[in-house]
Amino acid sequence: MTAAPLINLDAVPASAKPSLAGLTRDGLKAALTAAGVPEKQLRMRVGQLWSWIYVRGVTDFDQMTDVSRDLRAHLKTAYTLDRPEIVSEQISIDGTRKWLLRLAKRGHEARAPEIETVYIPESGRGTLCISSQIGCTLTCSFCHTGTQRLVRNLDAAEIVAQIMLARDRIGDWPGAAGPADGRLLPNSDRKITNVVLMGMGEPLYNFDNVRAAMEVASDGEGLSLSKRRITLSTSGVVPEIPRWGEEADTMLAISLHATNDALRDELVPINRKYPIAQLMDACRNYPGLSNARRITFEYVMLKGVNDSLAEARALVKLLAGIPAKINLIPFNPWPATRYECSDWETIERFAEVVNHAGYASPVRTPRGRDILAACGQLRSESLKLRASERRDADPA
Ligand code: SAH
Ligand code: SF4
């Protein structure tokens, strides 16, 4: 193969080199164009890189053996395949892993922003919880992220990079180590089977980047996560729900948390703009719903606030006619919160009402209180103190 005529990017300081990891096909195309790859080669080159980056998870251009030596050398001068920097990695006894990640600093940013990504292994599946924004513009009263102002939206690559980094760390590139004949290992060997947009931020307020990122995540020639195994959680940005259904078509979760407007106005203030009736209409009309494809309704259990049996019954009534799953989340307290988690007995009684109405296992009861504790810890980690606060608390 003849060497492609490439522009000279040697002038770019090493620290300023952007990473190709996480880019969309269009992003890769633009990067290759900037690196001087001729128009007629672009499609083929994007295809090659796509596979190395998203099937094999390579971190070094020299691993791209079917890409010419010259092009690899040129790519190296202009780009990296770096993931976000890991500030800390914590592994819990049950295998849950939490990463605090530092993203590349933007020109106007005083310091590099940080986000959290969490991997939760369960029997037969593994769920990765990713962030869509740094902070959140919304101010749900029980949510720690809600006390942090929005720093900025993540771009598509920063969202995808969370999946790539998690795969690196848990050894989950089924394409990386195939049998000697070069065939890929089957996807069934994967550890990360599900992705939930339940980390920091309101994903529907970063619609375009989240959609582009989920296109990369679900691309059948790359990361190959089924859209049926990707769940976007929203606090209820009603006008964007039908658009998300049409354009992105992933599974949907709704942070409901209350069954009447007065209480939901207080807990999830976006409810003042888009009240429960409008939210339920948007859910009813979400494309492709069936018993096999249900909306998950999240309901955080707040002691004495939303945990009465009357509210359990109201919840069941509210969801009638919508193919739904209910996820009761034990509240995780954080410093200075005015809420407490409901008692375990209250959660069980609440769950019983919901169970009787035909919603299976809404709380993870099999491992009882241990799991309640683990869940609390996990939440606490995923909604952890900001770096500055942690530094204050930890002189090391
Ligand atoms: N912003 C989106 C997605 C991120 S929050 C949303 O609100 O849906 C993911 C879930 O965690 C939401 O259901 C949110 O309401 C819930 N949550 C927030 N703070 C919590 C806390 N302290 N304890 C338990 N769940 C919490
Ligand atoms: Fe934002 Fe979701 Fe927290 Fe509400 S619950 S403040 S929407 S991250």
Side-chain angles (χ1 to χ4, degrees), residues 136 138-140 142-143 145-146 199-202 235:
C136 189
L138 299 172
T139 52
C140 301
F142 57 90
C143 174
T145 307
M200 269 186 191
E202 169 48 62
S235 57

